[in-house]
Amino acid sequence: MRTHFCGLVDEALIGQTVTLCGWADVARDLGGLCFIDLRDHEGIVQIVAEPDAATAGNAEVIAAAAAVGYEDCLRITGVVRARHAVNDKIRTGKVEVVATKIELLNKAEPLPFHAHENPGEDIRLKYRYLDLRTPAMQRKMRTRTRLVSALRHYLDARGFQDIETPILTKATPEGARDFLVPARMHPGEFYALPQSPQLFKQILMMAGFDRYYQIARCFRDEALRADRQLEFTQLDMEFAWVAERDVQDLTEDMIRHVFREVMDVELAAQFPRMTYAEAMRRYGSDKPDLRIALEFVDVAELVKGCEFKVFTDAADDADGRVVALRIPGGASLSRKQIDEYAAHAAKYGAKGVAYVKLDEAGAINSPIAKFFSEDAFKALLEAIGLQNGDIAFFGAGKYKTVSDFMGALRLKAGKDFNLVADGWAPLWVTDFPMFEWDEEEGRYVALHHPFTAPAVDSIEDLRANAKTAVSRGYDMVLNGNEIGGGSIRIHNSAMQSAVFELLGIGAEEAAGKFGFLLDALKYGAPPHGGIAFGIDRIAALMAGSESIRDVIAFPKTTTAQCLMTDAPSPIPDAQLAEVHVQVRPKA
């Protein structure tokens, strides 16, 4: 139907006849002279319908152009010529097409929103086909396509095998909730959609495939937010006969390669490394944004002698923490704004946030100053490095809770005070805790997943030091986003059973859920490890979007709905009966 794409018409085609297909982005009738901006996925080119200079004819073309409406679907034939008024804002801005034929392929009814407007997200998702048609979404989705292509080319060239793993698989007791699929041929039994291909890729290493990858669709029935979806895409990788640095060095080079190919950006020649403990101590996050220079100062020892019980209780608690965060220029915050910071911290577990302001003249404004002697308070401010015009926020309580809410304050302050440097700040976070204690369930849970190897060789050592055990896990972080997470895996059946036991998974349950894995580990399983990268998150970063919904063609809302198709939806009883399912009435 067409000879060229709209956005690729250039000076090399001057004098040639072209046939283009696209949508009318703009149509202007100037009374006998009409202009149409014709748009396809490659871009926009200007179409001109004007009287024929020799015959003063061309009335049919001019009439057709005058009748064109917004987003009408057109096919236009014409001759390319140089444009008198050059438009440097578009790739085709030096040329235009003088129309000799205009065909209306499909008339567009009035649209619910204009491509150059910024409607609410609900409207965009309901009419996703129109939203995806916009130049902004076209650019974002093409960025994603280039990312996946660059990843595939890199891995294919290095001997990785692209192997598909099952979508219908077995439910497991760890991680988020599984999506369940009733098995029609096995009444009362269910498949689960994979949260990741984790066990299958480990089995592939035991089967001798050595280097595996897959652009995998994964499913987790969990709460949605800007960086989470019920279904998502990850680059899944696994290596046999490797230690941590083998995985890290290759994948670090891979990420440098794709940023160079997709964005023409050179990332650091070597990504810095930081332990989990250091990241939490300095930044209150296991995915710190290093573009923000703000760091915590631990002040527990300096507040033990004060009369502020919140501080002293935390300072005397072996699992407690008292920390300060200095914000340069923060003394400009009003009391109302300080309360907004406290409310923000409360979302992450804070029961309150103390502060000290030092105005430009050096006067102190602080509700906690009265609890300190003059010398002790002076020593505290010196340790924090507080300068005239600064504010310092304080957090006190359990170590993890304080780290979480003060980490959130650090990010907010960085954005509010324009302290986020330009560019890209990648790093590796390593040496994660093996387990976390879940107070509600009264047991340990795996910080990464239950197949991550501990940094000890002895089962006895692991059992004796479960609370402080470190894993061989690692995450790649970029600008405060975890873009990849992985680990060296357990390759010994006895160690895997011991980890299950510490996680409260008994021998009978382990055999039922993971018996095939435990068996496979007995037959010469090699040391192996891997990593998974979030394609959606990387694409969003590359596209400059804060939400991964902007780089997913058909995402769900935060209430887990597809507004375009109205999914999820009820299923007829007859269809449910076929899969032996009966729905309980809503409470």
Side-chain angles (χ1 to χ4, degrees), residues 388-405:
N388 290 1
D390 295 348
I391 191 171
F393 285 109
F394 294 84
K398 293 295 184 182
Y399 194 98
K400 180 67 166 60
T401 303
V402 171
S403 299
D404 287 346
F405 72 72

Side-chain angles (χ1 to χ4, degrees), residues 17-46:
T17 298
V18 297
T19 298
L20 310 172
C21 293
W23 290 274
D25 192 74
V26 174
R28 303 181 297 279
D29 181 3
L30 304 184
L33 178 66
C34 298
F35 295 91
I36 301 168
D37 286 350
L38 193 66
R39 186 189 75 248
D40 64 12
H41 70 285
E42 289 287 358
I44 289 176
V45 66
Q46 178 169 281

Side-chain angles (χ1 to χ4, degrees), residues 295-349:
E295 293 192 29
F296 296 161
V297 178
D298 283 287
V299 295
E301 292 300 319
L302 293 171
V303 302
K304 282 187 174 180
C306 78
E307 297 178 1
F308 189 36
K309 192 172 186 299
V310 173
F311 280 6
T312 56
D313 285 353
D316 292 333
D317 185 348
D319 294 323
R321 183 177 201 188
V322 186
V323 69
L325 176 68
R326 168 183 165 262
I327 303 172
S332 61
L333 290 175
S334 66
R335 182 54 194 265
K336 179 182 177 183
Q337 290 171 316
I338 291 172
D339 289 343
E340 289 172 355
Y341 270 74
H344 184 72
K347 298 176 185 177
Y348 298 86

Side-chain angles (χ1 to χ4, degrees), residues 60 68 129 166 169 180 235 245 273 276 375 407 518 522 547 555:
E60 183 178 343
V68 168
Y129 40 88
T169 184
L180 302 178
L235 168 63
R245 285 302 290 254
R273 281 169 167 74
Y276 171 90
D375 289 343
L518 295 171
K522 297 174 183 177
S547 171

Side-chain angles (χ1 to χ4, degrees), residues 113-289:
F113 64 90
H114 194 284
H116 303 286
E117 294 174 348
N118 186 24
E121 189 174 54
D122 283 359
I123 293 294
R124 291 177 56 204
L125 294 181
K126 181 175 177 61
Y127 300 96
R128 189 60 164 179
Y129 40 88
L130 298 178
D131 187 45
L132 288 171
R133 197 188 290 177
T134 62
M137 285 302 299
Q138 288 281 320
R139 284 193 298 272
K140 290 172 182 177
M141 295 306 297
R142 286 167 77 86
T143 296
R144 181 189 179 109
T145 298
R146 290 197 301 272
L147 165 63
V148 172
S149 178
L151 289 168
R152 286 192 181 279
H153 288 159
Y154 182 93
L155 296 172
D156 290 343
R158 285 157 181 81
F160 284 81
Q161 295 188 69
D162 182 359
I163 302 175
E164 295 177 346
T165 54
I167 292 295
L168 296 177
T169 184
K170 190 179 184 72
T172 60
E174 289 296 320
R177 293 184 183 91
D178 289 314
F179 278 102
L180 302 178
V181 180
R184 181 180 61 83
M185 293 182 287
H186 300 275
E189 297 183 355
F190 295 81
Y191 300 104
L193 301 183
Q195 295 186 33
S196 84
Q198 181 62 44
L199 297 183
F200 288 103
K201 67 179 182 177
Q202 289 189 241
I203 295 292
L204 287 172
M205 296 304 99
M206 301 168 199
F209 285 94
D210 202 86
R211 286 186 168 195
Y212 142 94
Y213 85 95
Q214 181 182 187
I215 306 296
R217 294 292 284 171
C218 302
F219 307 85
R220 293 179 185 172
D221 188 1
E222 60 183 357
L224 277 68
R225 52 181 189 261
D227 65 344
R228 292 283 175 90
Q229 283 279 297
L230 300 179
E231 50 183 319
F232 56 95
T233 306
Q234 66 185 37
L235 168 63
D236 205 59
M237 303 174 66
E238 199 76 4
F239 309 63
W241 316 103
V242 291
E244 289 90 328
R245 285 302 290 254
D246 299 313
V247 178
Q248 293 167 10
D249 288 347
L250 185 140
T251 54
E252 179 180 314
D253 184 66
M254 177 187 73
I255 293 299
R256 271 194 295 270
H257 167 80
V258 298
F259 268 80
R260 188 182 305 121
E261 290 292 310
V262 177
M263 300 191 66
D264 196 26
V265 165
E266 284 292 338
L267 297 181
Q270 186 172 6
F271 295 179
R273 281 169 167 74
M274 184 181 300
T275 66
Y276 171 90
E278 182 183 0
M280 297 302 288
R281 177 176 57 80
R282 294 172 62 185
Y283 306 109
S285 172
D286 60 1
K287 50 178 187 277
D289 190 342

